[in-house]
């Protein structure tokens, strides 16, 4: 049967754009792609990129105070949100333009509309036209979900937070995951009074306990009013703000409320189950290690599969898909020991197993140090950083590396290479320290603080 395309991609985000581009330009495939919103997807338009730019903006407040402590005579007169937001929006427009250009330059035919699966080889666009393809790739990402409660629509999600008319004077963030914690640091740095409610016992569930404990402590020291074991019960308008009733018995009014309470895969109304594609409990597309769904001609990558929801992982999955399907080289994606950063203040960089997870696999040694770094001490701050290695007692391999420090994201990218290569504690020890740095501690920790 003759198809309109070799590949039709639904979703022009991190994973979809990469797969479409590489299939067209490197593998010579005829590729179509539909994007319902803006090219670049979550990462570029409403995720990693605008968030990181806001992190940068928010870090100038403590940096200016530090500069004064180092002898600089400067005075900050305040943060101009509309000026920043204008620049941010222009930057996102620029990046979207680059994505569009890259797709066009690779010969991908794009359709600026929503698409759904009509059958295993057919995509139906919002205008009713149908396109057939030998392979269809679902790369529709995820979407923030709000808790089911009255007036939930009054609250923001991470989608709207980049486009506020004004910087809120007070903000309640509900949630304890990395997105909630990153925004707590951002708005706190920009001068908003930040309160954070999280129903669990500690923020950043799933990450190393000691590392997330330090992040929580430092966030509180920096001014975030963090309430653990606390959830929102109800919310209503109160003048220009929102009156919030919480499980801790309080009722307070905030300028804005931000729900960072999780994300769900974008699969609703896409005709997937009707076409025979199996979905999981959360609506995620079920795939095998090659990203193939229960329908052989349909593949899925990225957040819509809810495996490891990170941009570089979606890109990897897209590349592996092209390698498997268009180059005849079956390539599974390795989801083990993926380094990642949480852009809280201080930042956390992590790769491999947490101490708690590693202990379940067998005996370990834990090397850990926490100290006041030179530049913070000099500036009169109490901030501490943490460097931690989790080592397998038998093989001596470093199973996990966890860093809480300014620049931890940059550090963990490099430490991640060693961990991925299977470096042992002795390999770390053999490496000469770079002095004076914070990360030199990662190669100078001699005695374990815990074993077992
Ligand atoms: C606030 C925030 C911060 C983040 N920070 C980081 C970070 O620091 N580092 C990191 O690695 N990851 C981060 N992420 C996660 C990262 O953004 C995602 O993992 C990544 O974007 C997933 O890529 P994707 O291609 O699967 O989906 P997406 O990038 O979400 O792209 C999916 C695209 O599909 C489109 N679409 C959906 N349905 C349809 C349809 N039916 N028809 C046509 N188009 C459709 C959407 O409009 C979207 O453009 C962050 C996410 C958020 C929300």
């Amino acid at each position: 049967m003759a198809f309109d395309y070799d590949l039709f991609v639904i979703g022009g985000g991190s994973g979809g754009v990469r797969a479409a581009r590489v299939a067209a330009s490197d593998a010579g495939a005829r590729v179509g792609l539909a994007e319902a919103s803006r090219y670049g997807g979550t990462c570029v338009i409403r995720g990693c990129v605008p968030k990181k730019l806001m992190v940068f903006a928010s870090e100038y407040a403590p940096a200016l105070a530090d500069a004064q402590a180092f002898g600089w005579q400067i005075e900050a007169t305040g943060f101009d949100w509309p000026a920043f937001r204008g620049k941010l929006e222009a930057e996102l427009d620029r990046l979207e333009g680059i994505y569009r250009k890259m797709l066009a330059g690779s010969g991908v035919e794009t359709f600026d509309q929503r698409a759904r699966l009509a059958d295993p080889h057919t995509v139906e666009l919002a205008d009713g036209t149908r396109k057939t393809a030998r392979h269809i790739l679902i790369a529709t990402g995820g979407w923030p979900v709000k808790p089911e409660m009255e007036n939930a629509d009054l609250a923001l999600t991470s989608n709207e937070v980049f486009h506020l008319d004004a910087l809120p004077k007070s903000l309640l963030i509900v949630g304890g995951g990395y997105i909630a914690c990153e925004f707590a640091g951002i708005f706190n740095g920009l001068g908003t009074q930040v309160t954070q409610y999280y129903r669990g016992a500690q923020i950043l569930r799933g990450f190393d306990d000691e590392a997330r404990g330090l992040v929580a402590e430092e966030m509180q020291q920096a001014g975030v009013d963090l309430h653990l074991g606390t959830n929102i019960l109800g919310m209503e308008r109160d003048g220009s703000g929102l009156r919030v009733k919480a499980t801790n018995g309080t009722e307070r009014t905030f300028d804005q409320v931000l729900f960072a309470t999780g994300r769900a895969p974008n699969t609703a109304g896409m005709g997937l189950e009707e076409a025979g594609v199996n979905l999981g409990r959360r609506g995620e597309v079920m795939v095998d290690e090659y990203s193939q769904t229960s329908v052989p001609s349909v593949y899925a990558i990225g957040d819509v599969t809810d495996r490891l929801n990170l941009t570089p992982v979606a890109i990897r999955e897209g590349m592996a898909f092209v390698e498997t399907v268009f180059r005849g080289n079956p390539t599974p994606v390795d989801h083990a020991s993926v380094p990642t950063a949480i852009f809280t203040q201080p930042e956390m960089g992590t790769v491999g197993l947490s101490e708690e997870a590693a202990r379940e696999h067998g005996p370990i040694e834990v090397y850990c140090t926490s100290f006041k770094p030179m530049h913070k001490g000099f500036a009169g701050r109490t901030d501490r950083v943490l460097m931690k290695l989790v080592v397998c007692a038998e093989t001596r391999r470093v199973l996990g590396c966890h860093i809480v420090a300014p620049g931890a994201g940059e550090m963990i990218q490099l430490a991640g290479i060693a961990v991925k290569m299977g470096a042992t504690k002795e390999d770390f020890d053999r490496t000469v320290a770079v002095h004076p740095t914070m990360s030199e501690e990662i190669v100078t920790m001699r005695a374990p603080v815990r074993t077992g």
Side-chain angles (χ1 to χ4, degrees), residues 236-302:
E236 60 185 23
R237 270 233 175 278
D238 177 16
S240 60
L242 295 168
R243 186 125 190 106
V244 172
K245 222 179 184 175
T247 52
N248 61 5
T250 60
E251 265 194 53
R252 291 172 61 186
T253 298
F254 301 92
D255 276 359
Q256 299 273 13
V257 174
L258 167 67
F259 280 134
T261 43
R263 294 174 62 78
N266 268 332
T267 49
M270 280 198 58
L272 294 169
E273 279 179 304
E274 295 86 327
V277 174
N278 287 343
L279 302 184
R281 244 174 7 104
R282 301 193 63 243
E284 75 276 20
V285 180
M286 303 299 289
V287 288
D288 67 11
E289 59 186 327
Y290 301 104
S291 299
Q292 192 172 28
T293 71
S294 48
V295 173
S297 57
V298 180
Y299 286 71
I301 56 165

Side-chain angles (χ1 to χ4, degrees), residues 301-354:
I301 56 165
D303 284 11
V304 77
T305 62
D306 201 19
R307 286 176 280 182
L308 195 49
N309 298 337
L310 294 168
T311 288
V313 175
I315 290 172
R316 279 290 167 107
E317 290 168 357
M319 301 283 279
F321 157 76
V322 173
E323 197 63 30
T324 301
V325 173
F326 291 99
R327 292 217 184 92
N329 177 24
T331 305
V333 174
D334 179 3
H335 290 99
S337 292
V338 170
T340 187
I342 298 137
F343 296 98
T344 37
Q345 299 176 27
E347 239 168 76
M348 187 201 291
T350 177
V351 61
L353 300 178
S354 66

Side-chain angles (χ1 to χ4, degrees), residues 10-16 34-38 40-43 46-48 51 113-115 139-142 158 178-179 183 263 266 270 301-304 309-312 314 343:
I10 307 183
S14 305
E35 167 53 55
S37 171
R38 295 183 65 184
T42 303
C43 174
R46 56 190 90 83
C48 329
K51 173 207 66 192
Q113 46 185 312
R114 199 180 148 76
T140 48
S158 59
Y178 83 94
I179 293 175
F183 281 117
R263 294 174 62 78
N266 268 332
M270 280 198 58
I301 56 165
D303 284 11
V304 77
N309 298 337
L310 294 168
T311 288
F343 296 98

